[in-house]
Amino acid sequence: MLNIGVLALQGAFIEHVHMLRRAGAVAVEVRLPEELQGLDGLIIPGGESTTIGKLAVSAGLVAPLREFAGSRPTWGTCAGMIFLARELDHHAQPILGLMDIRVDRNAFGRQLDSFEMELQIPVLGDAPWHAIFIRAPVVTGAGDDVEVLARLADGRIVAVRQGHLLATAFHPELTDDLRFHTWFLQLAQQAG
Ligand code: GLN
């Protein structure tokens, strides 16, 4: 069985823990650097990226997270996507800076705080994906190594992969659909 960590400083981490267990992995809550030891992969959940960043700094987790996610399968959802990004539009805050993407936080503004829609995500098969966006970011720029996994109808990028790194602007852990977590576990299996 794969051991997958979920960064548990703030936000929607318990939902990822439940999804990972349903998908057949051992899920480990990570709050301290030593809890990264022996993990096959890591999920950075949604929440508030400024809070997650501050708490990661005070827990001494920034360098250990950079080292872990520098080579091991790591998936950021929403605030987690922001935390993985190389650069942010309009904001200065602690980020890991690992993924070759630019991200615009709260890209949908106040008018469209939260919304749900069906997306086509070819790596997950033909069935549409029910995507839940909550004060979501979008990817506004991506390097050549970055594979776009999903776009909105207007072309804006909302899911990306760069080798062992994955980022989604929406919240798969708030659905009943295990396909995204199962796919992440397959990536972790292949990497191991
Ligand atoms: N708006 C949040 C941020 O900027 C992210 C929201 C989320 O993770 N659902 O960090």
Side-chain angles (χ1 to χ4, degrees), residues 30-187:
V30 173
R31 294 184 182 83
L32 301 168
E34 52 268 33
E35 289 166 336
L36 291 166
Q37 299 279 331
L39 296 179
D40 300 301
L42 178 72
I43 294 179
I44 303 174
E48 184 53 46
S49 60
T50 50
T51 306
I52 292 174
K54 272 184 213 152
L55 293 172
V57 169
S58 48
L61 266 165
V62 174
L65 284 171
R66 274 196 189 121
E67 196 192 322
F68 184 91
S71 63
R72 310 281 183 77
T74 301
W75 172 19
T77 57
C78 203
M81 168 189 261
I82 296 165
F83 200 46
L84 278 176
R86 177 173 50 77
E87 230 178 316
L88 304 183
D89 293 334
H90 323 298
H91 287 91
Q93 62 190 65
I95 51 175
L96 296 180
L98 290 172
M99 225 177 161
D100 196 10
I101 52 174
R102 279 186 74 86
V103 171
D104 189 14
R105 288 181 58 196
N106 304 321
F108 299 93
R110 293 219 182 113
Q111 306 241 305
L112 207 59
D113 219 24
S114 302
F115 60 98
E116 304 187 11
M117 64 179 304
E118 308 301 311
L119 289 180
Q120 233 29 74
I121 308 183
V123 292
L124 301 181
D126 290 339
W129 178 268
H130 187 72
I132 300 175
F133 293 86
I134 305 169
R135 290 178 299 109
V138 294
V139 175
T140 53
D144 292 341
D145 287 354
V146 177
E147 180 190 351
V148 174
L149 303 177
R151 292 177 187 268
L152 300 177
D154 64 9
R156 284 188 287 176
I157 299 169
V158 290
V160 283
R161 175 186 178 189
Q162 184 180 11
H164 63 284
L165 299 174
L166 207 57
T168 53
F170 46 86
H171 288 267
E173 78 286 6
L174 300 183
T175 70
D176 229 13
D177 193 335
L178 281 175
R179 283 181 291 161
F180 232 114
H181 288 79
T182 303
W183 188 58
F184 180 64
L185 293 181
Q186 281 165 15
L187 297 181

